[in-house]
Amino acid sequence: MKAQKSAGRTIRVNDYTAFDQINGKHSYQDAVPDGYVPYQVRTRHGGSVFYFNFDLAKAMGIIPKDHPHELTPNLKSKILETFALVIINEYDVINKTEFNPKEIRPNQYMATRYLQLQHPNKQGKTSGDGRGIWNGEVRHQGVTWDISSSGTGATCLSPAFAISGEYVKTGDRAVCYGNGYQSLNDGMSAAILSDIFHKNGIDTEQTLAIISFEAGTSINVRASKNLIRPAHFFRQLKLGDDRGLKASVDYFIHRQINNGDWPEAGNTQNKKIRYQIFAEQMALTFSRITARFESDYIFCWLDWDGDNILANGGIIDYGSIRQFGLYHYEYRYDDVDRMSTNIPEQRIKARYIAQNFAQIRDYLITGKKKNIQKFKRDSVLKLFDQNFTNHLNLLLLKKLGLNEKQSTYITEKFPKLIKKFKKHHSYFEKTKSKKGIYKINDGITCDAIFCMKDAHRELPKKFLENKAILTPKDFISMIKSNYSKKRDLKINFYRRKEIIQFQNRYLKIMNHVADEFHSGNLNKTFLEVIMRSSVVNQQHRITGDSIIHVATSLIRNQKSLNFKERQQIIESLSQHQIEQVKPEINQSTKVGRITLRNIKAIEYCSDGF
């Protein structure tokens, strides 16, 4: 590998040697021998690097910290060499398909087994990574990262094989979803949205690289500090495989300790205590993330199988992830044979997932698998409920513009006030259009008509200017959304009462903050709140519809944009979502025009789905 010069920096010969450790080997293979299906892999030709997450690669230690955000020829070659793979599956073996021996990698890669509700078997005997493999793991600065790829071929764990009983040829267009390939559009959507979520402090896996191929297919490489799902444990739980369950739980706890996420579990060698900590941490994790999802209007299809989420709380599989501009809480994703949960039901499903972890804890400690119903009142669920309520309250106060100390003070000293205010807040947040439920492209919904982000951002400005509560007419005018119609906005006796009580209790909260932190100076409190609330309540945040528009735009223009230009657009859009400031755009360039069009699309769809 020759040294190259790039952006004033010499690319060294050993800059990319860290990629060599990503070779299919993974500690899970030794820890849980029955937890995966091994596959040989070979080189897949015809790919080009469509996207690369330089910041993530630096955090993982696979490129140097001072590496420019530039796809050098050697870096491009190394990405393709490492990740442009396709499995040699059962169809290939049965049909004795011949491949160039030089292109077959020496190590076997794993497709992991886990529970999935879309499979006929509800014990996880047939399910798992249906079109993906785990590339391996890397350790850097005391942190271990998992790496997996979607779109690397049809495995025996896909729904297509489970339903038909016939092995699938990878890339068979007649099979469609089950043919083992992945969509470039889905990959690009996930890359952008996960990057924005990550930078906004939402737990998520991230896209490391996207390799595009013919006919809009791609290999989408994802990374996280722990890619184990609750579904990995639940498969062994449903099967009554106590040995496998113990092995996988011990593996997970060990990873969490070593990555510095669960120091309390590392302080004891007592397995019973560790399993109790495991169950409690799961309850805390899932109560925290579902509170965040509900507060931020994030749809993440949680269900009893624990498939569509990581066990450390990270979002995974962005095919059914949506971020709404308003609380469209009636939205349900249509997955052909069933409808998804909606946003408020996510808490119920997450609580049931925590209940399963209580069952797992007891199973591992006693050696006996008791019925799940015996854990309805487990201490773990009380912990879940308390943490969910507390976290949701703190998130609401953060949206009002309070800092962490102020939010904690209000929740601890005035719990009744918060409860009453949240009830009024929920009234406006959940008010629906008289249009009712209707079908959309990927499911059903009912429109929310009020934008509470606008209330959080504008109300302190109004109070600071007018020193009085708003009239009902002015209040409704401030919070009405693009989805509201004239008949939705009528002010009856009950709504008038809600408007007045909302503002009065809002003012009580601000007065308490002023008394405790600003010596009673309410104006100073409002000035601080205005600054923070304008940042927290982004006026034009990206939604599901706009992310589809952005991904489609980048793919449609892939022939006229080189890698560097495409990365510039993606990074500009990400910056816009974090800072809510339009980046400097030169409209005379193609990059500038495409960036501006996408920002306008984001703004246009900002109240939507």
Side-chain angles (χ1 to χ4, degrees):
M1 187 182 291
K2 295 181 179 179
Q4 306 165 352
K5 271 210 165 183
S6 174
R9 176 194 182 278
T10 300
I11 303 297
R12 295 178 288 270
V13 173
N14 63 350
D15 273 355
Y16 308 126
T17 55
F19 279 89
D20 297 335
Q21 63 187 304
I22 308 170
N23 58 10
K25 291 184 178 180
H26 196 284
S27 54
Y28 189 79
Q29 294 167 329
D30 295 326
V32 192
D34 188 44
Y36 70 98
V37 177
Y39 283 101
Q40 283 193 297
V41 304
R42 59 186 177 87
T43 302
R44 182 177 175 186
H45 295 287
S48 62
V49 181
F50 194 84
Y51 169 80
F52 188 68
N53 192 328
F54 290 93
D55 290 333
L56 177 59
K58 291 176 183 180
M60 295 171 66
I62 58 177
I63 63 172
K65 278 190 175 181
D66 60 348
H67 193 289
H69 285 210
E70 182 179 333
L71 187 68
T72 64
N74 285 339
L75 177 57
K76 176 183 177 182
S77 175
K78 205 66 180 176
I79 293 169
L80 292 173
E81 175 191 330
T82 306
F83 299 116
L85 306 172
V86 60
I87 65 171
I88 299 172
N89 69 4
E90 293 82 0
Y91 180 93
D92 298 324
V93 174
I94 291 170
N95 288 278
K96 299 179 180 180
T97 308
E98 293 186 2
F99 302 109
N100 184 344
K102 294 180 180 179
E103 295 184 350
I104 299 175
R105 306 301 168 89
N107 298 326
Q108 290 184 319
Y109 289 57
M110 67 176 181
T112 60
R113 297 180 179 275
Y114 50 82
L115 199 63
Q116 284 181 305
L117 60 79
Q118 64 263 50
H119 279 249
N121 181 275
K122 303 305 179 186
Q123 291 181 301
K125 291 180 179 179
T126 62
S127 54
D129 295 316
R131 54 178 173 178
I133 51 172
W134 290 43
N135 301 87
E137 58 190 355
V138 296
R139 188 161 180 81
H140 178 63
Q141 295 183 341
V143 175
T144 301
W145 296 79
D146 291 334
I147 307 168
S148 71
S149 294
S150 178
T152 49
T155 79
C156 66
L157 302 177
S158 72
F161 174 69
I163 294 169
S164 70
E166 297 181 2
Y167 292 114
V168 175
K169 180 181 179 181
T170 292
D172 186 346
R173 294 185 181 181
V175 181
C176 191
Y177 173 80
N179 71 8
Y181 280 168
Q182 177 63 284
S183 157
L184 177 58
N185 200 307
D186 287 349
M188 198 67 254
S189 298
I192 298 170
L193 195 54
S194 64
D195 185 55
I196 292 168
F197 277 9
H198 170 72
K199 289 174 179 174
N200 276 322
I202 297 171
D203 295 323
T204 178
E205 69 171 6
Q206 293 176 263
T207 299
L208 175 63
I210 298 176
I211 302 172
S212 62
F213 293 89
E214 71 288 342
T217 63
S218 65
I219 290 175
N220 306 322
V221 185
R222 295 94 62 97
S224 172
K225 294 177 184 178
N226 203 328
L227 282 173
I228 294 294
R229 313 179 191 207
H232 283 94
F233 308 122
F234 293 173
R235 167 184 167 268
Q236 292 150 336
L237 176 64
K238 300 300 181 187
L239 289 171
D241 177 11
D242 57 337
R243 283 189 179 184
L245 180 60
K246 181 180 182 299
S248 61
V249 170
D250 287 346
Y251 162 84
F252 182 80
I253 293 172
H254 185 261
R255 169 66 69 85
Q256 294 297 95
I257 292 171
N258 283 1
N259 276 353
D261 294 320
W262 289 3
E264 60 274 29
N267 292 333
T268 178
Q269 296 300 315
N270 186 308
K271 284 292 182 73
K272 290 183 179 180
I273 296 175
R274 279 195 172 188
Y275 294 147
Q276 178 63 28
I277 292 172
F278 166 75
E280 290 173 354
Q281 286 296 328
M282 291 295 99
L284 291 171
T285 295
F286 280 86
S287 58
R288 172 179 51 80
I289 64 166
T290 46
R292 182 71 189 268
F293 293 164
E294 189 162 322
S295 177
D296 281 15
Y297 311 155
I298 294 172
F299 166 78
C300 175
W301 187 353
L302 295 181
D303 220 315
W304 61 268
D305 59 348
D307 171 26
N308 286 355
I309 196 76
L310 294 177
N312 65 6
I315 293 174
I316 193 171
D317 289 346
Y318 275 75
S320 59
I321 299 295
R322 277 184 171 267
Q323 179 172 247
F324 304 149
L326 309 176
Y327 193 32
H328 299 293
Y329 72 95
E330 292 278 19
Y331 170 88
R332 294 181 188 274
Y333 181 79
D334 186 354
D335 199 27
V336 183
D337 59 333
R338 64 198 178 282
M339 300 296 287
S340 74
T341 51
N342 59 27
I343 289 180
E345 288 172 350
Q346 289 172 174
R347 180 191 67 82
I348 300 168
K349 295 294 184 178
R351 194 177 189 274
Y352 187 71
I353 288 173
Q355 189 173 334
N356 274 270
F357 282 116
Q359 184 188 26
I360 288 173
R361 174 211 61 212
D362 185 79
Y363 188 13
L364 294 177
I365 291 174
T366 67
K368 296 180 180 179
K369 181 183 172 184
K370 300 184 181 72
N371 189 289
I372 186 69
Q373 299 305 318
K374 289 187 178 292
F375 302 92
K376 273 187 172 182
R377 294 178 178 82
D378 193 271
S379 61
V380 159
L381 297 186
K382 292 178 182 177
L383 183 63
F384 179 99
D385 293 337
Q386 291 168 358
N387 196 55
F388 176 86
T389 300
N390 184 58
H391 204 66
L392 198 61
N393 287 342
L394 291 173
L395 288 168
L396 175 58
L397 293 172
K398 181 180 179 180
K399 288 195 286 190
L400 297 188
L402 304 191
N403 63 28
E404 189 174 341
K405 282 186 178 180
Q406 293 164 351
S407 298
T408 302
Y409 170 74
I410 294 296
T411 55
E412 290 178 354
K413 296 293 183 180
F414 307 100
K416 290 183 180 179
L417 174 60
I418 291 301
K419 187 175 182 179
K420 290 176 181 177
F421 176 74
K422 193 161 68 171
K423 183 180 177 183
H424 302 311
H425 186 278
S426 182
Y427 165 78
F428 293 105
E429 194 173 48
K430 296 179 75 171
T431 300
K432 301 179 291 185
S433 168
K434 294 186 182 296
K435 180 180 179 180
I437 293 175
Y438 63 96
K439 288 185 178 181
I440 54 176
N441 287 339
D442 60 359
I444 60 170
T445 192
C446 183
D447 298 332
I449 62 171
F450 294 134
C451 180
M452 298 312 291
K453 296 196 305 287
D454 290 348
H456 304 146
R457 192 175 56 252
E458 300 301 326
L459 195 55
K461 298 176 187 177
K462 303 287 187 183
F463 280 138
L464 191 62
E465 292 170 5
N466 304 324
K467 313 296 183 186
I469 65 172
L470 277 65
T471 65
K473 183 179 178 182
D474 288 342
F475 185 87
I476 293 297
S477 179
M478 177 183 68
I479 67 172
K480 67 180 181 180
S481 76
N482 295 330
Y483 286 89
S484 62
K485 305 298 180 185
K486 190 174 181 179
R487 61 177 178 166
D488 296 321
L489 304 177
K490 290 180 180 179
I491 302 172
N492 55 27
F493 174 81
Y494 184 79
R495 182 167 288 179
R496 183 182 301 273
K497 183 181 174 183
E498 286 292 325
I499 291 169
I500 293 170
Q501 289 182 333
F502 177 95
Q503 293 183 85
N504 284 335
R505 291 196 165 117
Y506 174 91
L507 279 173
K508 278 187 179 181
I509 292 170
M510 294 304 163
N511 273 305
H512 286 312
V513 172
D515 290 342
E516 179 67 17
F517 295 94
H518 298 131
S519 302
N521 190 335
L522 188 58
N523 284 352
K524 187 175 181 181
T525 299
F526 279 137
L527 286 170
E528 286 190 7
V529 162
I530 287 167
M531 287 189 291
R532 285 192 290 262
S533 63
S534 64
V535 175
V536 175
N537 300 286
Q538 300 171 344
Q539 188 172 7
H540 300 299
R541 71 174 183 176
I542 201 161
T543 60
D545 288 338
S546 55
I547 195 67
I548 292 170
H549 181 281
V550 171
T552 302
S553 168
L554 290 169
I555 293 168
R556 188 173 59 242
N557 289 285
Q558 62 181 307
K559 290 183 179 179
S560 61
L561 293 171
N562 59 35
F563 176 87
K564 184 177 181 180
E565 291 170 331
R566 188 161 53 245
Q567 290 282 127
Q568 285 176 346
I569 294 170
I570 294 169
E571 289 174 10
S572 292
L573 294 174
S574 181
Q575 176 193 347
H576 170 260
Q577 280 300 291
I578 306 308
E579 300 175 1
Q580 286 290 295
V581 175
K582 285 185 181 178
E584 293 184 13
I585 297 173
N586 183 353
Q587 296 187 44
S588 65
T589 66
K590 189 172 185 66
V591 169
R593 290 192 295 272
I594 294 174
T595 303
L596 189 60
R597 282 201 299 268
N598 280 305
I599 288 176
K600 287 181 177 178
I602 290 170
E603 292 176 351
Y604 178 78
C605 298
S606 61
D607 278 356
F609 303 95

